[in-house]
Amino acid sequence: FRGCTGLTQAPALPATTLANGCYSYMFDGCTGITAHDVATLNNSQNTFRNNTSCASLTIHADTPPTIDNNTITGLKADCTIYVPAASVDAYKAKQYWSARAAYIQAKP
């Protein structure tokens, strides 16, 4: 979906096991998408590069995914990241997720 400026809704991404790099650059430049919902982001990089319209990212993985340092850095600065309630503290403490700790909240 890289460069998908006309896409306004992200497709469901229910995969819980990802090949290395599977979601890399997947939503790079997708400026029209405001919400993302993924099962995990393990082994990904630059997934949300230039994703400046994101209002929310929902991740269903109980264990914070191991991500590259640039997997979520392209999200809009105030994009809320929703995770399982019991995992909020773990996400806030995990490498690279911790940079967005102020925006990590329990899924509604």
Side-chain angles (χ1 to χ4, degrees):
F1 305 106
R2 189 175 190 179
C4 56
T5 57
L7 191 62
T8 58
Q9 183 174 358
L13 299 173
T16 57
T17 304
L18 302 177
N20 199 16
C22 181
Y23 285 179
S24 295
Y25 295 94
M26 183 171 279
F27 295 108
D28 177 14
C30 294
T31 56
I33 300 174
T34 59
H36 294 276
D37 191 313
V38 297
T40 189
L41 286 170
N42 269 336
N43 306 313
S44 60
Q45 63 182 353
N46 287 305
T47 304
F48 300 104
R49 192 173 98 163
N50 301 313
N51 201 255
T52 56
S53 297
C54 183
S56 68
L57 166 62
T58 301
I59 303 169
H60 299 280
D62 291 326
T63 302
T66 299
I67 59 173
D68 201 36
N69 68 329
N70 54 14
T71 299
I72 59 174
T73 56
L75 289 171
K76 183 178 172 186
D78 60 352
C79 181
T80 302
I81 300 172
Y82 294 110
V83 301
S87 303
V88 170
D89 290 338
Y91 272 84
K92 288 182 175 185
K94 180 84 174 188
Q95 184 179 25
Y96 306 128
W97 293 101
S98 61
R100 295 285 185 135
Y103 298 98
I104 296 174
Q105 300 179 15
K107 290 188 298 184

